[in-house]
Amino acid sequence: MNCETCQLKELVVEPLEIRDVLRCILHTIVFHRALGLVRPKDVDCELFDITYVQCGDAELERKIDEKINLFIGWVEKHPNKKSQVCLSFYEVRNKQATWMFSNKTERLYWEQWYINLHVVNTKTHGKSHNSKAPINPGDNALEESSSRRASLESALREVLFQIIKFVNEKKDHIPSVTNSEVISFPYEITTPR
């Protein structure tokens, strides 16, 4: 089976923005690959002027938030690092018995999404190299923060369009749907450890 992969554009985010960015991206991907019966739910980002769609499934939302919390915990221990979150869809198949009485299953991945984040702490960006005092406190810092946030919002929109383009172009590798659950295929979200 062919596993399609999509490397999403890297986003530079502050720790405070991680939750909103990952919710937006993960829910957008899952919604577009949820081939079962969904109850679409529009959600407005808290930090950005972006609306995305969720599947309207409380269990799915809980699982995604759980993985985002794990990632945020990792970021707190590894500040100012580039990292990746991977969302994988797969099928479960019974593996041929290699030994008497052993019956194992295997995961056949058919699609993987790599969300690339560079987490930066802006407290270190507004200081000079020789001094611990801010270079220009006040309006300048606020303007820089606002400009950076607008740039991130634009980049996040690009990522959403990248997702939509990929799901519209790449369909031949999707296995046959055998159930009507919201998420028709098993998935996993992996974060750095």
Side-chain angles (χ1 to χ4, degrees):
M1 176 175 266
N2 191 18
C3 180
E4 291 285 346
T5 60
C6 183
Q7 287 279 350
L8 297 174
K9 175 185 174 180
E10 181 179 276
L11 298 174
V12 179
V13 299
E14 292 180 9
L16 177 69
E17 299 161 335
I18 294 171
R19 184 174 313 280
D20 221 18
V21 166
L22 282 179
R23 275 184 180 154
C24 181
I25 294 171
L26 289 168
H27 281 288
T28 298
I29 295 168
V30 170
F31 176 77
H32 285 283
R33 287 304 189 223
L35 304 174
L37 300 172
V38 297
R39 290 183 176 84
K41 175 176 136 186
D42 287 348
V43 177
D44 294 325
C45 288
E46 292 177 24
L47 302 174
F48 309 102
D49 187 23
I50 294 176
T51 301
Y52 61 95
V53 181
Q54 290 184 353
C55 293
D57 182 83
E59 180 63 17
L60 173 64
E61 289 175 39
R62 187 192 63 74
K63 286 180 181 178
I64 287 175
D65 280 344
E66 185 178 289
K67 291 297 182 172
I68 291 171
N69 288 336
L70 283 173
F71 180 74
I72 290 171
W74 181 86
V75 166
E76 288 170 354
K77 294 175 188 156
H78 305 88
N80 295 316
K81 295 261 188 197
K82 290 186 179 192
S83 54
Q84 199 172 61
V85 174
C86 179
L87 170 58
S88 303
F89 295 97
Y90 59 92
E91 281 187 289
V92 176
R93 293 239 176 107
N94 288 328
K95 202 174 186 179
Q96 294 287 70
T98 53
W99 191 253
M100 200 191 280
F101 307 119
S102 79
N103 211 6
K104 295 189 175 185
T105 59
E106 65 179 332
R107 290 182 176 185
L108 297 172
Y109 292 91
W110 54 269
E111 191 168 89
Q112 293 183 310
W113 296 82
Y114 293 96
I115 303 164
N116 300 294
L117 299 178
H118 184 184
V119 181
V120 296
N121 197 340
T122 53
K123 291 175 188 162
T124 60
H125 283 92
K127 299 181 181 186
S128 75
H129 294 290
N130 301 328
S131 165
K132 292 192 176 192
I135 295 171
N136 219 352
D139 291 343
N140 201 19
L142 186 61
E143 185 178 308
E144 185 179 306
S145 175
S146 178
S147 172
R148 198 201 60 72
R149 177 83 42 95
S151 176
L152 174 57
E153 182 175 316
S154 175
L156 181 56
R157 285 181 197 280
E158 284 180 46
V159 167
L160 296 178
F161 284 118
Q162 186 182 358
I163 292 167
I164 293 166
K165 182 178 182 203
F166 184 90
V167 297
N168 285 331
E169 291 177 355
K170 307 283 187 174
K171 300 175 187 170
D172 295 339
H173 65 286
I174 301 174
S176 300
V177 176
T178 58
N179 63 52
S180 63
E181 294 177 27
V182 171
I183 305 300
S184 306
F185 302 101
Y187 67 94
E188 67 182 5
I189 300 170
T190 53
T191 59
R193 295 178 191 256

